[in-house]
Amino acid sequence: MTGKDFTERSRPFLEYLDHWYSGLAPMELSGLIAADPDKVAVFCVDMINGFTTEGTLASPRVASHTVNIADLFRSAYEQGVRQFVLPQDSHSDDAEEFATYPPHARTGTHEAETVPEIASLPFADIYTVIPKNSLSQAIGTNLDRWLNAHPDVRTAIVVGDCSDLCLYQLAMYLRLRANQFDERDRRIIVPANGVDTYGTSLHRAHQFHIDPHPGDFYHYVFLNHLHLNGVEVVASMT
């Protein structure tokens, strides 16, 4: 199969994907948590300075969602939610991941700190920050310990970045963990207006001899793949 064949064969799916994404419906936060806010937790992945406003991996696409996510935090808190879990990059100085991605978010640096819009909320002292040294929130971290200590949490609202990397890893892990233990009442919800990924155009990729990273394509494809695996993908959480 040639590249041209692949392009033509993929066209119907890409049209479907655009239609699917455009048709995502909003979800009412109040209806989700009204019965028992103690059963709901907000998970916010990697909304740190190093992926939004400074450093080699900062992305305007990701930064544009900080206000939406802060609004979600505020609204959830006002309606009684008290569990906010923030898995965040906090890399060792010689992290193995730097062989794949440029050095970023080293432990103790400003890049590794939560974005101000979220860090400055008046209830920030109740956040549970989970440092991680890879794309995985579960390998070598305290995530499982937290989940085991909070068995009453049955609904996870997952926001942050990147749609195809850490956000995807977390949403899939929570979904697969629930599947493994037959937790049929476990819900994993991803509001599309609270997640994104970075973009590297073909022109920039050629200019700097790096791989392209089409942000819209990966954002759509990976959210759709979450949907295919039982994660509830919604347009927004209102």
Side-chain angles (χ1 to χ4, degrees):
M1 182 173 64
T2 67
K4 184 177 180 180
D5 291 336
F6 173 76
T7 300
E8 291 303 316
R9 287 160 62 99
S10 300
R11 190 179 305 278
F13 171 72
L14 294 177
E15 292 174 351
Y16 154 78
L17 194 63
D18 184 53
H19 179 75
W20 172 81
Y21 190 86
S22 300
L24 292 175
M27 177 179 285
E28 288 189 9
L29 181 63
S30 59
L32 183 67
I33 67 179
D36 190 349
D38 290 336
K39 292 185 176 181
V40 178
V42 178
F43 289 78
C44 180
V45 187
D46 276 341
M47 288 305 293
I48 58 177
N49 297 320
F51 293 129
T52 54
T53 57
E54 63 180 88
T56 58
L57 296 183
S59 167
R61 291 175 60 109
V62 173
S64 70
H65 291 278
T66 55
V67 172
N68 288 343
I69 295 174
D71 287 346
L72 173 63
F73 270 50
R74 189 179 297 106
S75 182
Y77 183 84
E78 289 172 353
Q79 296 180 60
V81 174
R82 294 296 181 268
Q83 301 301 335
F84 297 85
V85 184
L86 283 64
Q88 297 181 163
D89 268 15
S90 183
H91 287 298
S92 55
D93 286 340
D94 59 348
E96 177 62 22
E97 187 174 292
F98 295 165
T100 305
Y101 296 97
H104 60 278
R106 287 187 169 96
T107 301
T109 65
H110 191 252
E111 281 190 25
E113 295 179 5
T114 308
V115 295
E117 293 86 346
I118 295 172
S120 64
L121 292 173
F123 50 91
D125 60 321
I126 69 172
Y127 298 166
T128 298
V129 176
I130 298 180
K132 59 188 180 68
N133 194 39
S134 76
L135 298 182
S136 173
Q137 283 82 184
I139 300 173
T141 74
N142 290 328
L143 178 60
D144 274 331
R145 183 183 303 173
W146 188 94
L147 292 170
N148 291 334
H150 297 83
D152 291 340
V153 171
R154 312 311 294 168
T155 297
I157 302 169
V158 185
V159 293
D161 64 284
C162 288
S163 315
D164 54 327
L165 297 166
C166 295
L167 183 285
Y168 176 82
Q169 292 284 339
L170 176 58
M172 280 296 291
Y173 181 76
L174 293 174
R175 182 67 269 160
L176 296 179
R177 189 180 191 271
N179 292 353
Q180 173 64 27
F181 298 113
D182 291 327
E183 297 176 335
R184 293 175 175 82
D185 62 338
R186 179 82 67 175
R187 300 179 68 182
I188 317 301
I189 304 171
V190 174
N193 76 332
V195 306
D196 214 327
T197 190
Y198 70 96
T200 304
S201 68
L202 286 170
H203 173 74
R204 182 175 175 82
H206 290 316
Q207 183 181 6
F208 291 96
H209 306 288
I210 58 177
D211 290 325
H213 190 274
D216 287 342
F217 176 80
Y218 283 128
H219 179 67
Y220 280 41
V221 166
F222 276 79
L223 288 186
N224 182 254
H225 197 257
L226 289 175
H227 160 73
L228 290 176
N229 281 280
V231 174
E232 298 175 60
V233 181
V234 300
S236 60
M237 196 72 71
T238 60

